[in-house]
Amino acid sequence: MILLTRVDHRLLHGQIAVSWVQGMHANCIFCVGDHVANDPIWRTTLKLGKPAGCKLVIKDMAHAIEAINSGVTDKYRMLICLQTIAEAKQLIDGCPQIKSLNLGNTKATATTREVARQVFLEPEEEEILRQLVDQGVEVEIRPLADDPKIEIQSVL
Amino acid sequence: MSRKYVIASHAHFAAGIYESLCLLAGERDDVYILNAFVDGNDDIALAAVELVDSLPCTDDVVVCTDLFGGSVNNEFTKLMLSRLNVYLMSNMNLPLLLTLFFADAEEDTDALLRKLAHDDSLHPVYCNDAVSGVDTEDEDF
């Protein structure tokens, strides 16, 4: 069962390991992205810090879509972490059973707009989010599991 | 029985570690902060008594301090010895407080704190050594 699909440029870190894993009783964290899958130092770092009692799987986008669609992930209470909104769109397009997207942390750049405390959007990311909403995907901003959802429509 | 939490330290460590807790786990309304020897809090004995007295005596009061043997912990030790509802944990760190805050609210406070004091996962980790225990194989589903 996919409990959460989250955009977080740091992937697995304190907020996920603490608030989300405990708050949602997750037993599997799935980090998806070509960057992390091909970065051995980052993979080792994530494995070192993973929460006790939680499985951690790291895959590139193509293999992640294949795994989710094959059904092998169904038996886990799973949190999916992606680095960027563009990657989230790729995953959701490949796995249309994902109906909800959480925005956790995105990077601020010179061209981003701050829409929430931890969320900064490039113009093209706002467009992707509009497309996701049009596809019927719920897009919400929440740093922590107990925080109230901010619907993306209210800030676009 | 419900619990209240006091985080107390020399200088602003208490406020700072609570700020970190808020970032990781959200704000709480059952946490009280005491930063000793700064901001005019020079009489730590009085400040400790006043703080504990302001909390309902029917609640368990879990006090976490920064340094075993330090003056902040020593003042709360006096309170722990004289009041039945004060539970004192020293040498606090962030994983300890996080685990404490996510613990079952119904669990017996005394048993919970004894368990946390013996939990190896809450002690410092020397990462240079720990990394050698990381599996080189990637986990799969």
Side-chain angles (χ1 to χ4, degrees), chain A residues 14-15 18-19 22-23 28 30 43-44 47-48 50 54-59 67 72-73 75-76 78 117 144 146, chain B residues 21-27 98-99 102-103 121 125 127-141:
Chain A
Q15 289 183 338
V18 173
S19 171
Q22 307 221 33
C28 178
F30 189 12
R43 285 209 314 273
T44 299
K47 286 193 246 177
L48 178 63
K50 80 174 173 119
C54 217
K55 187 182 182 71
L56 170 65
V57 182
I58 302 168
K59 285 187 189 293
V72 289
T73 67
K75 62 175 178 283
Y76 299 102
M78 184 164 77
R117 186 163 54 87
L144 303 176
D146 291 336
Chain B
L21 282 161
C22 292
L23 191 138
L24 291 166
E27 286 183 38
L98 284 167
T99 309
F102 278 101
S121 73
V125 176
C127 299
N128 294 48
D129 281 347
V131 79
S132 65
V134 170
D135 202 339
T136 48
E137 293 293 306
D138 288 329
E139 273 190 281
D140 205 343
F141 294 111

Side-chain angles (χ1 to χ4, degrees), chain B residues 26-95:
Chain B
E27 286 183 38
R28 302 178 64 101
D29 57 12
D30 53 2
V31 176
Y32 301 82
I33 303 298
L34 182 57
N35 300 310
F37 312 121
V38 286
D39 308 330
N41 285 331
D42 293 322
D43 189 343
I44 173 66
L46 179 65
V49 170
E50 282 182 350
L51 178 51
V52 171
D53 278 348
S54 73
L55 304 174
C57 61
T58 50
D59 285 354
D60 282 350
V61 178
V62 176
V63 181
C64 296
T65 68
D66 55 350
L67 184 67
F68 185 60
S71 56
V72 177
N73 195 66
N74 288 348
E75 290 308 326
F76 279 103
T77 301
K78 294 176 195 164
L79 282 172
M80 177 265 285
L81 291 169
S82 59
R83 299 179 195 219
L84 290 173
N85 66 328
V86 173
Y87 301 82
L88 180 59
M89 195 78 143
S90 196
N91 294 348
M92 67 175 166
N93 59 30
L94 196 50

